[in-house]
Amino acid sequence: MAAELGQQTVELGAMVRLAAEESYLALRELVERSRAEAEAEAQGKEGVRLRSDTEKKIDLLKFVDRTRQRMLRLHVLAKWCQQVPLVNYCRQLASTLFNHETCFTQTADSLFFMHDGLQKAHVPIFDVPFATEVLRTGSYRRLPKCIEEIGTQSMLFQDERRPTLKKLNALVRAKLLETSLPKEISKVSVTDGVANLRVDGEFQVLLTLGYRGHFSLWRLLHMELLVGEKTGPIKLEETRRHALGDDIERRMANTDNPFMILYTVLHELCISLVMDTVIRQANVLRQGRWKDAIKSELISDSSAAQGGNAPVQLGQDGELDLSGFRIPGLKLNYWLDENSSGSSEPDLYPFINIEVGKDMLINCLHSSFILDPLTDKEADLSIDLSCIDVEALILKAIACNRHTRLLEIQRELSKNVQLLQSPTDVVLKTKVNEESLGKWMERTFKIRVQMKYFRLGHTDNCIFTLA
């Protein structure tokens, strides 16, 4: 019996409430008794025992002491409950069970409503016989005759085409005038209701109005990339081209400046293709006859080298997103010697950096200042996007660097006043054909070298002429 009583539990709140009720009832009983004695004393009733003031104080003191003891025990019990880990664990367990009860209730309600929804979402009855007829014969004989007679007219009549195309041309031109065009677009023409936009060396697109039935939105009819090599322009796969066209149409429909979106997407695509082609050609040259003459190195973050520029990315809503990927650059070293493969300082040799700049254009930067032998001005190293040729770029850089170094040698030798020209000077002439520059280099460069042979006791002067 004692074990059963020890296993029984009661809530702390119930104990506090019971103690408060008992104290309240005892106090109320004490007050009512004192009131009854006072009324009996006032009425002069006999037979009623009246307590003295000392007895009343003793009873009140007993009540206060008893109530104090009870509250003190409750206070100690409350502190004990908070400090015992078992009580805390039981409290957490009770909370977990309550959460489980709530989840089970919600699950039962959800299953009930799902049952009603599944009854309404049953598979419809398909018309299998008529579907078989369409697959077998290619037609549907039960189609009403009136619908068959109406049909759809896919083409205009001959006398309606010219005025319709004239109106469509006017609408396309008006739409082009309403929208600002990027300055990089070099050619804009409208023919037969189709707008032809071209960026030299990058891409050409054909546009018209009527995207998804809306004559205020642009529809992309054809897209052609002009970026390529000697073998021809780069071709995109059919599925990739269609997916890119659909994405461009959707983005152009969701912005107020559709042509900027068109140019940004296609320009970034062309720049990426150009850098991929440049890297691939450099690898081919490194594995071929330029194996021991050049060395290539990827620049993983070409934007950081140009001041933190990031290629522009477009979000799903057609807005600009600057959290896109970085287009890698390429570093090409040339004029390597036999022991340059393991050199720890590759910058000792001249190099060309091919990377994307802040303006999203491909820059070809030489490691040092070089002069163009044709113009005697600073060499402009660039890549023809429509005919990418890394080997031609390297040959031009070599020719300009060689010309610049010869000019430096001439300037240094001209400072020596002891060099004299005599009729016995030896003149060596040669003609260099630079196919990469596309024309003959006709220039005379005189270097007077004084060679002294102290052992022989005489001095010979030589003049080398480079034509």
Side-chain angles (χ1 to χ4, degrees):
M1 185 65 178
E4 294 180 358
L5 293 176
Q7 293 179 357
Q8 294 179 359
T9 58
V10 64
E11 294 183 359
L12 181 62
M15 294 182 62
V16 174
R17 184 170 58 253
L18 182 60
E21 289 177 357
E22 289 180 358
S23 299
Y24 172 76
L25 293 176
L27 180 60
R28 184 176 180 181
E29 181 182 357
L30 187 61
V31 172
E32 289 178 354
R33 183 179 177 185
S34 299
R35 185 183 299 172
E37 290 177 357
E39 290 177 356
E41 184 180 0
Q43 295 177 2
K45 293 182 180 181
E46 298 179 359
V48 178
R49 182 180 178 277
L50 299 177
R51 296 177 301 166
S52 62
D53 292 337
T54 303
E55 292 178 347
K56 291 180 180 180
K57 292 179 180 179
I58 292 174
D59 293 338
L60 182 59
L61 184 60
K62 289 181 179 180
F63 165 77
V64 172
D65 183 72
R66 187 167 53 252
T67 305
R68 180 176 176 275
Q69 291 293 334
R70 184 181 291 113
M71 295 303 172
L72 183 61
R73 292 170 183 173
L74 287 175
H75 180 67
V76 173
L77 181 61
K79 283 191 174 182
W80 178 82
C81 291
Q82 293 179 357
Q83 295 177 359
V84 176
L86 181 61
V87 176
N88 294 334
Y89 179 77
C90 293
R91 185 185 305 167
Q92 295 177 1
L93 185 60
S95 177
T96 304
L97 293 175
F98 177 77
N99 293 336
H100 289 178
E101 181 183 1
T102 304
C103 293
F104 288 144
T105 304
Q106 293 178 355
T107 304
D109 296 340
S110 300
L111 291 175
F112 174 79
F113 291 113
M114 184 185 298
H115 178 70
D116 293 341
L118 290 176
Q119 290 181 354
K120 299 177 182 179
H122 62 277
V123 179
I125 301 175
F126 295 104
D127 196 351
V128 179
F130 292 149
T132 305
E133 179 183 356
V134 172
L135 289 175
R136 184 173 56 84
T137 63
S139 62
Y140 184 53
R141 293 179 298 175
R142 296 178 179 270
L143 192 67
K145 188 67 176 176
C146 59
I147 299 179
E148 184 179 357
E149 292 176 355
I150 293 176
T152 57
Q153 183 178 349
S154 58
M155 297 183 63
L156 297 174
F157 294 108
Q158 190 66 27
D159 55 347
E160 297 177 347
R161 293 183 182 178
R162 181 168 296 180
T164 303
L165 291 177
K166 186 176 180 181
K167 293 180 181 179
L168 186 57
N169 286 340
L171 290 175
V172 173
R173 289 193 179 95
K175 193 66 177 177
L176 288 174
L177 292 176
E178 293 175 359
T179 310
S180 60
L181 297 176
K183 61 181 181 179
E184 291 81 4
I185 297 180
S186 58
K187 176 182 177 182
V188 180
S189 61
V190 179
T191 307
D192 294 337
V194 178
N196 184 0
L197 305 181
R198 178 187 178 94
V199 177
D200 291 337
E202 294 190 15
F203 61 87
Q204 179 177 357
V205 294
L206 300 180
L207 299 169
T208 189
L209 297 175
Y211 173 65
R212 293 186 177 180
H214 300 279
F215 288 97
S216 61
L217 303 179
W218 290 100
R219 177 186 174 191
L220 184 61
L221 299 178
H222 180 69
M223 175 178 55
E224 179 183 359
L225 296 181
L226 305 180
V227 175
E229 305 178 70
K230 294 180 179 180
T231 56
I234 299 176
K235 300 294 183 181
L236 291 178
E237 298 179 359
E238 194 72 13
T239 55
R240 185 181 179 187
R241 186 165 57 86
H242 286 306
L244 179 62
D246 294 340
D247 187 55
I248 291 176
E249 287 180 342
R250 179 179 55 80
R251 294 180 178 180
M252 292 177 65
N254 295 330
T255 183
D256 296 333
N257 196 352
F259 293 107
M260 181 57 69
I261 297 296
L262 172 69
Y263 171 76
T264 302
V265 174
L266 293 182
H267 175 68
E268 183 178 350
L269 173 64
C270 293
I271 293 300
S272 301
L273 293 176
V274 169
M275 290 306 303
D276 291 342
T277 305
V278 168
I279 294 173
R280 178 176 53 81
Q281 288 188 3
N283 292 333
V284 172
L285 292 176
R286 233 169 20 96
Q287 297 173 1
R289 60 192 184 95
W290 290 80
K291 180 177 181 180
D292 299 328
I294 64 172
K295 179 181 179 181
S296 62
E297 178 184 354
L298 284 180
I299 305 176
S300 59
D301 191 0
S302 63
S303 303
Q306 294 295 329
N309 173 60
V312 179
Q313 299 292 326
L314 298 173
Q316 294 296 331
D317 54 353
E319 299 295 333
L320 297 181
D321 181 13
L322 298 180
S323 61
F325 63 91
R326 299 289 195 270
I327 300 179
L330 184 68
K331 179 179 179 181
L332 278 174
N333 292 80
Y334 62 92
W335 277 353
L336 306 180
D337 54 25
E338 296 179 356
N339 301 325
S340 64
S341 58
S343 177
S344 60
E345 297 182 1
D347 291 344
L348 295 177
Y349 308 100
F351 61 87
I352 308 171
N353 274 354
I354 306 174
E355 51 192 0
V356 181
K358 294 182 179 180
D359 51 0
M360 281 302 295
L361 297 178
I362 295 180
N363 299 327
C364 300
L365 305 177
H366 198 269
S367 58
S368 60
F369 180 81
I370 55 177
L371 293 174
D372 192 334
L374 299 180
T375 61
D376 274 341
K377 297 180 180 179
E378 183 179 1
D380 181 17
L381 300 179
S382 60
I383 296 178
D384 185 4
L385 302 185
S386 59
C387 185
I388 304 171
D389 192 347
V390 178
E391 185 176 13
L393 178 66
I394 297 175
L395 290 175
K396 182 177 179 180
I398 292 175
C400 296
N401 198 354
R402 179 180 57 197
H403 175 72
T404 305
R405 292 196 177 189
L406 290 177
L407 289 178
E408 293 176 356
I409 295 174
Q410 180 191 24
R411 184 169 57 253
E412 293 296 329
L413 293 178
S414 61
K415 296 179 181 178
N416 192 347
V417 296
Q418 297 180 0
L419 294 178
L420 301 175
Q421 184 176 3
S422 64
T424 61
D425 290 342
V426 179
V427 179
L428 302 179
K429 296 184 178 181
T430 180
K431 179 173 289 187
V432 180
N433 179 13
E434 295 292 343
E435 298 180 356
S436 62
L437 300 179
K439 61 183 296 185
W440 292 92
M441 296 171 55
E442 297 284 346
R443 185 174 181 84
T444 302
F445 178 65
K446 295 184 178 180
I447 304 176
R448 290 163 35 196
V449 181
Q450 186 180 42
M451 298 182 298
K452 295 183 179 180
Y453 299 95
F454 297 98
R455 188 171 56 183
L456 298 179
H458 67 277
T459 300
D460 291 337
N461 294 332
C462 299
I463 296 180
F464 297 89
T465 302
L466 177 63

